[in-house]
Amino acid sequence: MTTAPLTIAIGGDHAGLPLKAVLQEALAEAGHRLVDFGTNSAESVDYPDFAHQVAAAVEGGRAAFGVLVCGTGIGVQIAANRHSGIRAAVLHDTTEARLTRSHNDANIACFGARTTGAEVALDALRAFLGTAFEGGRHARRLAKIELPAARADLS
């Protein structure tokens, strides 16, 4: 990881545990401060519990970014995106990672431990953390994603 040290919230379920451990180690080696919401056991758990904790940490400003891992990445993405201001995206490669940051200002990277290998996930996470939001026309589009009550001033 080549970005300046960040505070990153991380979590996942039992299916994501092996990949979570790999990502966690790489983030720590890069000097990032990690807030680990678990799980740290192979015992079956419910992925929304961890997704909500990571999303709340990012939503509340306690972490700059979040990383979530489950079997496919889809479940944690859906749960995290229920939070205001959260833009979680499942990543399968560096192109998706760069584009979701530069165009969508995504703030939570989601991975599927059963669908994405460790090296690909590490490369995607590096790209995600190393890419800035472009703003401009993309900011206008992001404003249109917000809930209608939050968009009242845009009409």
Side-chain angles (χ1 to χ4, degrees):
M1 311 282 159
T2 58
T3 62
L6 300 164
T7 298
I8 299 173
I10 190 165
D13 68 2
H14 58 285
L17 185 59
L19 181 56
K20 176 183 166 250
V22 169
L23 298 176
Q24 209 166 3
E25 181 179 342
L27 289 166
E29 285 177 4
H32 297 297
R33 180 180 171 271
L34 298 175
V35 182
D36 182 6
F37 289 100
T39 191
N40 293 305
S41 163
E43 182 178 328
S44 182
V45 294
D46 298 331
Y47 65 82
D49 297 336
F50 305 95
H52 288 307
Q53 290 179 75
V54 167
V58 175
E59 180 181 30
R62 296 185 310 277
F65 292 101
V67 175
L68 287 165
V69 189
C70 68
T72 64
I74 297 168
V76 290
Q77 172 191 288
I78 291 169
N81 278 325
R82 302 290 297 161
H83 291 255
S84 178
I86 295 301
R87 291 168 304 282
V90 177
L91 304 177
H92 300 100
D93 57 45
T94 57
T95 300
E96 289 175 353
R98 282 193 311 276
L99 290 173
T100 197
R101 280 288 305 131
S102 63
H103 292 190
N104 307 118
D105 199 18
N107 48 18
I108 298 181
C110 302
F111 296 97
R114 294 177 178 146
T115 60
T116 305
E119 289 303 317
V120 171
L122 284 166
D123 288 344
L125 184 55
R126 286 183 193 104
F128 183 86
L129 295 175
T131 302
F133 177 53
E134 289 179 11
R137 70 185 188 277
H138 302 296
R140 182 183 74 243
R141 294 168 183 160
L142 281 183
K144 292 180 177 186
I145 294 173
E146 292 300 316
L147 297 174
R151 294 187 335 141
D153 61 327
L154 298 177
S155 357

